[in-house]
Amino acid sequence: LMSCYRCAIMEIETKFRVLNERFSLQHDRNPIDSIQSRLKSPDSILDKMLRKKLPFTLEAIENNIFDIAGIRVVCSFVDDIYMLADCLLQQDDITLIERKDYIKNPKKNGYRSLHLIIEVPIFLQNTKKLVYVEVQFRTIAMDFWASLEHKLQYKKNIPESQAKFLKDELYDCAQQSAALDKRMQNIRNVIAESETKEEEKQDFLPIFLRENKG
């Protein structure tokens, strides 16, 4: 079963690498900064099954735990997140099971990300199997904040008097991170608009002038 989830991760990673390559050829930039993957450990799966009060069987695992195979796609800009998510979901072998947009609707602690649960087919020796994969999309700023928040929330022996202060500080950092993403997106939009106008000017030039300018 775990081998099937590993195969599903490889399938989705390949899809994103292809999208990144094609986008690079067409637009001379890469929307994906990095791709990370993880496979939930058997102990974590057991803990989740116990919390959900489910029987520890392969069938129950496959039908109830949707985040065993996980992929995180880190982008530079928020617009790239939605563009890549749309490109993935338009592929005819991908089925969307669940979508949670924590970018437009952040969690109370400030966490932001776009989560998709998808179903992808993997082709085995003599059969096809449908497997669930969780895909998380984040900007670099979102990923930086979430990684640190995850480490800090598991720190022990923090006095209660400091716990609220740290919680408030992390929330404030999340707000600043969101503001940074917005400003960087605006900067990129201005640059993209300028490049479009320059290309439009080029289109009106006679061929010999376009070649000379090039």
Side-chain angles (χ1 to χ4, degrees):
L1 180 61
M2 299 307 279
S3 175
C4 290
Y5 285 114
R6 276 193 289 271
C7 292
I9 286 173
M10 288 189 281
E11 287 279 353
I12 301 302
E13 279 187 330
T14 299
K15 287 178 178 294
F16 281 121
R17 295 191 194 284
V18 169
L19 287 171
N20 203 41
E21 174 68 17
R22 297 304 298 172
F23 197 88
S24 176
L25 286 172
Q26 293 174 6
H27 302 283
D28 198 30
R29 73 177 187 86
N30 297 103
I32 298 176
D33 182 77
S34 65
I35 302 173
Q36 305 156 20
S37 64
R38 65 106 182 93
L39 197 63
K40 218 173 188 58
S41 70
D43 286 343
S44 295
I45 295 170
L46 175 58
D47 287 343
K48 198 159 191 175
M49 297 295 283
L50 291 172
R51 286 199 306 273
K52 291 188 170 209
K53 297 180 180 179
L54 296 167
F56 196 61
T57 65
L58 294 180
E59 185 180 7
I61 291 170
E62 289 185 89
N63 295 331
N64 294 280
I65 309 297
F66 299 147
D67 62 344
I68 294 175
I71 290 185
R72 184 176 301 141
V73 181
V74 180
C75 305
S76 297
F77 302 100
V78 173
D79 279 2
D80 289 338
I81 288 176
Y82 292 108
M83 181 272 293
L84 287 167
D86 288 344
C87 287
L88 177 68
L89 295 176
Q90 285 169 12
Q91 298 187 21
D92 58 14
D93 60 342
I94 295 293
T95 302
L96 177 64
I97 304 300
E98 185 178 67
R99 179 186 182 113
K100 291 184 179 178
D101 192 338
Y102 296 116
I103 299 174
K104 293 179 180 175
N105 302 290
K107 290 187 177 182
K108 289 183 179 179
N109 64 349
Y111 174 85
R112 295 181 303 131
S113 184
L114 175 64
H115 289 200
L116 304 179
I117 301 293
I118 59 172
E119 191 178 58
V120 60
I122 60 168
F123 295 88
L124 307 174
Q125 200 165 2
N126 299 309
T127 186
K128 178 177 79 170
K129 186 176 179 66
L130 296 174
V131 182
Y132 294 116
V133 178
E134 181 188 53
V135 184
Q136 296 179 359
F137 297 88
R138 297 175 182 172
T139 62
I140 297 170
M142 291 176 199
D143 192 54
F144 173 68
W145 182 91
S147 297
L148 288 182
E149 192 273 344
H150 181 73
K151 291 176 183 176
L152 293 173
Q153 73 173 329
Y154 288 105
K155 293 293 182 184
K156 306 297 181 183
N157 303 319
I158 296 176
E160 195 174 327
S161 58
Q162 291 184 352
K164 186 179 184 307
F165 167 76
L166 292 175
K167 184 178 178 181
D168 292 342
E169 280 291 287
L170 281 168
Y171 180 78
D172 188 53
C173 287
Q175 299 305 105
Q176 292 183 46
S177 170
L180 176 62
D181 272 337
K182 187 174 181 180
R183 291 178 67 182
M184 296 302 291
Q185 181 70 62
N186 289 339
I187 290 170
R188 198 199 80 171
N189 290 346
V190 170
I191 293 171
E193 187 178 343
S194 299
E195 289 175 344
T196 301
K197 288 179 179 177
E198 186 62 31
E199 288 173 2
E200 289 173 352
K201 288 179 184 177
Q202 287 284 327
D203 289 340
F204 284 105
L205 290 173
I207 292 175
F208 74 94
L209 283 178
R210 274 186 254 167
E211 291 174 348
N212 289 341
K213 192 171 179 66

